[in-house]
Amino acid sequence: DQQVKQNSPSLSVQEGRISILNCDYTNSMFDYFLWYKKYPAEGPTFLISISSIKDKNEDGRFTVFLNKSAKHLSLHIVPSQPGDSAVYFCAALSGGYQKVTFGTGTKLQVIP
Amino acid sequence: EAGVAQSPRYKIIEKRQSVAFWCNPISGHATLYWYQQILGQGPKLLIQFQNNGVVDDSQLPKDRFSAERLKGVDSTLKIQPAKLEDSAVYLCASSPITSAHEQYFGPGTRLTVT
């Protein structure tokens, strides 16, 4: 049962444009949502998070939007840069011990 | 501040052999995680330690996988015997006890079972 889904395996965007990465979830008990970025041969690195009681969180070029009624979140990167090319994982936390469930990832390519 | 260390970085073994991975978390991080990432999928949590106690091992195949975290610091993950489907990257992560959303990952160990 895939509780966190990223339906787009890949995305290509021109440098300077907006990148929008999407994520859907099924478990309404998730209380925190995260985005991680992963370069080849490296572990994922934490990018940005949002609490389930908020609908938006912004950090520089990165903004995460949460739509709880639709069980959907998105990551916006504006403007996109070639260094943003990586695999992006959506993840969600639940439970007293804050178990993390990851999505399958979206490979973003920013074209110079 | 030193990051999460893992070794080895790569390992190739034959099926039915055993293998062990080592992880040294960030100093002071009470929570340690082992994930399995199969090609094309997201990381899947195998086991989560808080200090030296296990808080979640629901997805650990206990007939062949084992993990320990002695003294609440370093951890080892063992597979015995390995199967072809165990080929994956094994990621270790750690976090402060109050900030599970701020997990710091090591570079991973890529295991190939032939």
Side-chain angles (χ1 to χ4, degrees):
Chain A
D1 177 28
Q2 191 70 26
Q3 297 188 61
V4 179
K5 300 177 184 179
Q6 294 176 258
N7 293 317
S8 298
S10 63
L11 175 68
S12 289
V13 172
Q14 209 71 32
E15 181 180 2
R17 298 288 188 103
I18 184 172
S19 295
I20 300 176
L21 295 96
N22 294 302
C23 178
D24 297 297
Y25 62 95
T26 57
N27 186 350
S28 57
M29 300 302 291
F30 287 137
D31 47 24
Y32 232 99
F33 299 91
L34 320 165
W35 285 95
Y36 278 84
K37 176 179 178 179
K38 186 182 184 303
Y39 292 118
E42 295 183 12
T45 55
F46 171 73
L47 193 58
I48 191 169
S49 65
I50 186 167
S51 165
S52 62
I53 62 172
K54 296 189 175 182
D55 53 20
K56 178 182 174 181
N57 189 27
E58 191 172 352
D59 184 1
R61 297 186 297 114
F62 303 91
T63 303
V64 57
F65 295 92
L66 176 62
N67 181 336
K68 282 180 290 184
S69 61
K71 293 192 174 70
H72 177 85
L73 65 155
S74 60
L75 174 68
H76 293 211
I77 307 173
V78 183
S80 300
Q81 300 174 353
D84 296 330
S85 297
V87 177
Y88 289 79
F89 290 100
C90 170
L93 267 69
S94 61
Y97 288 107
Q98 298 288 276
K99 175 179 177 178
V100 180
T101 302
F102 282 84
T104 52
T106 296
K107 185 175 183 179
L108 173 66
Q109 182 184 19
V110 180
I111 303 165
Chain B
E1 179 181 79
V4 176
Q6 288 188 248
S7 67
R9 291 295 311 275
Y10 304 92
K11 190 74 177 179
I12 300 174
I13 61 172
E14 295 182 352
K15 59 184 179 184
R16 291 187 289 273
Q17 286 186 325
S18 63
V19 64
F21 312 126
W22 174 82
C23 173
N24 186 26
I26 291 174
S27 177
H29 281 190
T31 309
L32 184 147
Y33 314 79
W34 282 103
Y35 290 88
Q36 179 193 58
Q37 186 179 12
I38 292 172
L39 188 64
Q41 299 181 19
K44 181 182 84 171
L45 180 69
L46 293 176
I47 189 166
Q48 179 178 342
F49 292 94
Q50 194 158 295
N51 296 308
N52 59 349
V54 175
V55 299
D56 190 325
D57 63 358
S58 57
Q59 298 190 96
L60 185 75
K62 298 180 187 64
D63 58 335
R64 298 184 300 107
F65 286 64
S66 64
E68 60 181 9
R69 189 183 185 196
L70 299 176
K71 300 179 182 177
V73 182
D74 293 14
S75 177
T76 55
L77 176 70
K78 296 179 182 177
I79 308 175
Q80 183 179 15
K83 292 185 175 181
L84 295 176
E85 59 260 36
D86 297 333
S87 294
V89 175
Y90 290 84
L91 294 161
C92 179
S94 68
S95 70
I97 197 167
T98 55
S99 304
H101 62 284
E102 293 181 21
Q103 293 189 23
Y104 295 83
F105 283 81
T109 296
R110 180 175 294 279
L111 173 67
T112 302
V113 182
T114 64

